[in-house]
Amino acid sequence: MTRTHTSYEVSKRLKEFLGESAPEPMDKGLDSRSWYSPNHACPCRYQEPGGFPIYQLHDLLSRPFCEVMSLKIYGTNMWDLKVFRQLSNLYFSGGLPAVEAELMKMMEAK
């Protein structure tokens, strides 16, 4: 089964890294995964009360997300296209897991 949403670890780390500037996910529908069973529906926005946003690929490649990441990493949003290019190129070669791995590297480097 192909994952369509960020993992718990990545979601948690993004929320810690971006803090209150973390953009809201665009899709606040339901995610069909949970810690109980793969068929149990849970709100896609948060994995636990007071928890972390669960992002989809379109959230991670959106301008608001790339701008916030650029501000945190480079200190300016002039580089938002650099973040977008890095993430989109990795998606085409390795899917969402590759994008998540790059995000983790970006956050650890800062």
Side-chain angles (χ1 to χ4, degrees), residues 6 10 13-14 17 55 60 65 69 73 83 87 90 96-109:
T6 53
V10 173
R13 181 68 178 108
L14 282 169
F17 185 73
Y55 295 108
L60 301 176
F65 185 86
M69 284 297 289
I73 295 170
V83 171
L87 298 179
L90 285 168
L96 185 58
V99 171
E100 288 182 318
E102 182 64 20
L103 285 170
M104 293 297 273
K105 280 197 268 184
M106 287 176 173
M107 291 183 286
E108 287 170 12

Side-chain angles (χ1 to χ4, degrees), residues 4-53:
T4 59
H5 296 77
T6 53
S7 67
Y8 175 82
E9 295 80 20
V10 173
S11 298
K12 180 180 177 187
R13 181 68 178 108
L14 282 169
K15 181 62 178 174
E16 291 168 352
F17 185 73
L18 299 175
E20 293 302 315
S21 62
E24 288 287 321
M26 288 184 231
D27 179 15
K28 295 181 177 69
L30 295 178
D31 177 9
S32 62
R33 69 189 165 122
S34 88
W35 48 93
Y36 298 113
S37 76
N39 297 323
H40 176 72
C42 64
C44 149
R45 185 172 173 204
Y46 295 102
Q47 291 194 355
E48 61 187 39
F52 317 106

Side-chain angles (χ1 to χ4, degrees), residues 11 40 43 66 78 83 88 91 109:
S11 298
H40 176 72
C66 290
M78 281 180 36
V83 171
S88 60
Y91 172 72

